[in-house]
Amino acid sequence: MGRVKEYWKPVAVVLSAVLLSGAVQVALARVTREEVVLVSDGGGGGGVAIEIMPQDSIVARFVGDNHVATCNTSDGSKPRWYVGRPGEAKASIRGGTGGSPVQDAVWRGSGNGLQIVISNIGKKDRGEYCCRLSDVKRASEKCFELTVKEPIEFLDTPTEQVATEGLPYVIKCEVTGDPTPEIQWKVRGQLWKGVQGGRFDQIADGLSITRVSVSDQGFYECAAIQMSEQVTGQQTRNISLRVRHKPTFLAATTSSPVYGYLTGEVNLTCAVTADPPATISWYPERDRQQMVEPLASRVINEENRSTLRVKLSNITVFGKYTCIARNQLGNVTRIIQLQQGLKPNPPRVVVLTSASATTAQLDVSSPVVGPKVQHSTQKSGSNTGGSSSAGGASSSGGNSSSKSNGANDTLGYRVRLTRITNGTSYSFEQECEPAPCRLYNLTPGSNYTMRIATKGRAGLSDWVNGPMFQTAMGAASALAPNLVAVALLLVAALAGTPLGAARS
């Protein structure tokens, strides 16, 4: 039995018994660890009544809890406490016999009663506790039964677990307790309701998945709930499930075909999701192994991502490039077709239509679009080596004079803005749609210079100067006619040289 301590506790409730034919009425009610029930039955002799506080006929406590009980008699006489435990010769001590005297019970005097403290309760403390008058002429007793419950405990339940794609797996959640806990699962924040015929099935020690997929990766919650007439309790364990899987291509991977033009440069990208991380390799066609620069020197590798930078120095570099991503669980292959395209022409006319404190809008006239297959004779202005990306590939370069079967559509524009503050210049680039071209995140009350290039499928055109402008001081957007500037970039009319084209 747990240690029985003594301390004084005033008893403010006086015996209030209802006698029906000489016997105390029995009343039971639902209890929790903190609530009480009315006392059990007991014999009343000689008109002396006994009351136990709290008035619980059945006391339920968890292992490690404490319980205090005080016994009073109606005439103020001193009673005695007895205990009978399971397994002892006289486990039941009702009726005035049996049980072992509680030696550490403390008499607090008439009106304050005889008190026992059962501390750090264990399974061995289960049994029947009775307060009794031993006077034969006035024999009387009241009893309560102490039941000991086990709180919820998680056993083999790691908070981080690892499954493998395509194989069965059990998300472990092993729980003990008395009363036996009921288990409820949440799958990625949603209560799992046990759908019939699904891949998930709740079993004794966890949540079973018949065939793991990558989509099963995430967070799970195992909730253990105890509920009975005497006690209730709940505890949860959050579990992170990681799924090992073979590589799968992401949207950032270059889509085929990719266009580039001679003297330019193209970036081909393979991006995957894989666990463990994948090793990515590039393979050009055999008949293009004569490329002067070693392939490995132009590969930029990151975790689950690889970029091949191809310099378009001659027509032998055009063709197929194969990207293979591998890990222990499998591999995936992507073939990217690099085709010769046409270098875009620079913008013809750029008009600043409005400027607010933080935004500006441009009206850009696209260059004349030639046929899909053509021979360009346009002489370009100075080249800044800029680059652009389309569908995961980027291209940049110089002379556009080449025979091309690539698309020549204008996809948008790249704008290079420069702001000068206190003698220091700040430059950044933004991309915009063809119509209208909107610029964002500008600084109020600032002067900007602008350079702009056309973005096509094969890369960027040469850069040309755009209009200078000033943003407003306030936050409200407003049309500013005095800020509208027209830059006439008559490429074909001025000996094939874009007006204002200069080196950056």
Side-chain angles (χ1 to χ4, degrees), residues 220-251:
Y220 294 76
E221 181 183 285
C222 176
I225 303 170
Q226 284 178 316
M227 186 171 294
S228 70
E229 291 188 357
Q230 287 89 30
V231 295
T232 59
Q234 177 174 338
Q235 291 193 39
T236 61
R237 177 67 59 89
N238 292 318
I239 302 168
S240 173
L241 181 65
R242 169 187 153 206
V243 176
R244 299 171 70 251
H245 60 93
K246 71 177 185 179
T248 302
F249 284 112
L250 297 175

Side-chain angles (χ1 to χ4, degrees), residues 153-447:
E153 181 181 1
F154 288 95
L155 300 179
D156 184 16
T157 311
T159 57
E160 294 184 358
Q161 302 185 33
V162 181
T164 300
E165 180 184 25
L167 299 179
Y169 184 76
V170 175
I171 304 175
K172 298 180 181 64
C173 184
E174 189 175 344
V175 183
T176 63
D178 179 21
T180 302
E182 176 187 346
I183 303 299
Q184 289 185 352
W185 283 92
K186 283 187 178 180
V187 178
R188 293 184 293 279
Q190 300 297 319
L191 183 64
W192 182 74
K193 299 180 180 179
V195 180
Q196 189 72 20
R199 293 186 303 112
F200 291 82
D201 185 28
Q202 184 171 336
I203 59 178
D205 58 350
L207 186 65
S208 173
I209 309 176
T210 56
R211 186 179 178 85
V212 174
S213 70
V214 178
S215 63
D216 297 327
Q217 184 164 285
F219 291 95
Y220 294 76
E221 181 183 285
C222 176
I225 303 170
Q226 284 178 316
M227 186 171 294
S228 70
E229 291 188 357
Q230 287 89 30
V231 295
T232 59
Q234 177 174 338
Q235 291 193 39
T236 61
R237 177 67 59 89
N238 292 318
I239 302 168
S240 173
L241 181 65
R242 169 187 153 206
V243 176
R244 299 171 70 251
H245 60 93
K246 71 177 185 179
T248 302
F249 284 112
L250 297 175
T253 296
T254 301
S255 57
S256 188
V258 176
Y259 297 97
Y261 51 83
L262 288 177
T263 72
E265 192 172 275
V266 170
N267 288 338
L268 307 180
T269 298
C270 264
V272 299
T273 174
D275 188 354
T279 299
I280 303 177
S281 304
W282 290 93
Y283 302 91
E285 288 180 320
R286 285 183 184 176
D287 59 355
R288 289 183 293 113
Q289 295 295 332
Q290 73 274 23
M291 290 186 294
V292 177
E293 189 176 0
L295 182 66
S297 66
R298 293 178 281 111
V299 176
I300 302 172
N301 288 317
E302 305 169 76
E303 185 174 294
N304 285 333
R305 183 185 181 97
S306 180
T307 299
L308 172 64
R309 181 166 294 174
V310 183
K311 292 183 178 180
L312 307 178
S313 55
N314 57 70
I315 61 173
T316 66
V317 300
F318 294 103
K320 293 180 181 178
Y321 289 80
T322 301
C323 161
I324 301 179
R326 303 181 179 90
N327 68 5
Q328 298 94 312
L329 301 175
N331 64 80
V332 289
T333 300
R334 175 70 58 87
I335 297 176
I336 302 173
Q337 181 74 40
L338 177 58
Q339 297 183 5
Q340 186 176 359
L342 182 67
K343 181 177 181 179
N345 291 322
R348 296 173 60 241
V349 179
V350 182
V351 178
L352 179 69
T353 58
S354 67
S356 69
T358 58
T359 64
Q361 182 169 306
L362 304 175
D363 185 3
V364 184
S365 296
S366 299
V368 176
V369 178
K372 298 297 180 182
V373 179
Q374 62 176 327
H375 183 81
S376 173
T377 58
Q378 174 64 46
K379 296 181 180 180
S380 66
S382 60
N383 173 37
T384 64
S387 63
S388 67
S389 61
S394 66
S395 174
S396 63
N399 202 316
S400 63
S401 181
S402 65
K403 191 171 183 178
S404 168
N405 62 351
N408 191 28
D409 299 334
T410 297
L411 302 180
Y413 300 96
R414 182 172 293 182
V415 181
R416 182 178 297 163
L417 294 164
T418 301
R419 172 173 58 90
I420 300 178
T421 302
N422 298 327
T424 303
S425 61
Y426 302 90
S427 297
F428 59 97
E429 293 183 2
Q430 292 189 20
E431 290 189 358
C432 62
E433 299 294 328
C437 176
R438 293 189 176 93
L439 307 176
Y440 298 96
N441 301 319
L442 305 180
T443 303
S446 300
N447 293 309

Side-chain angles (χ1 to χ4, degrees), residues 11 13-20 22-25 39-53 55 70-80 107 110-111 113-114 131-135 137-143:
V11 178
V13 180
V14 181
L15 175 68
S16 176
V18 180
L19 299 179
L20 298 178
V24 181
Q25 184 181 13
V39 297
S40 66
D41 61 357
V48 178
I50 294 178
E51 183 182 46
I52 297 176
M53 294 298 295
Q55 295 178 337
T70 303
C71 178
N72 272 289
T73 58
S74 59
D75 65 354
S77 56
K78 183 179 179 179
R80 294 195 69 179
W107 175 245
S110 178
L114 184 67
C131 181
R132 176 186 304 155
L133 275 177
S134 57
D135 188 332
K137 296 181 180 180
R138 301 182 302 160
S140 180
E141 72 175 19
K142 285 287 179 66
C143 303

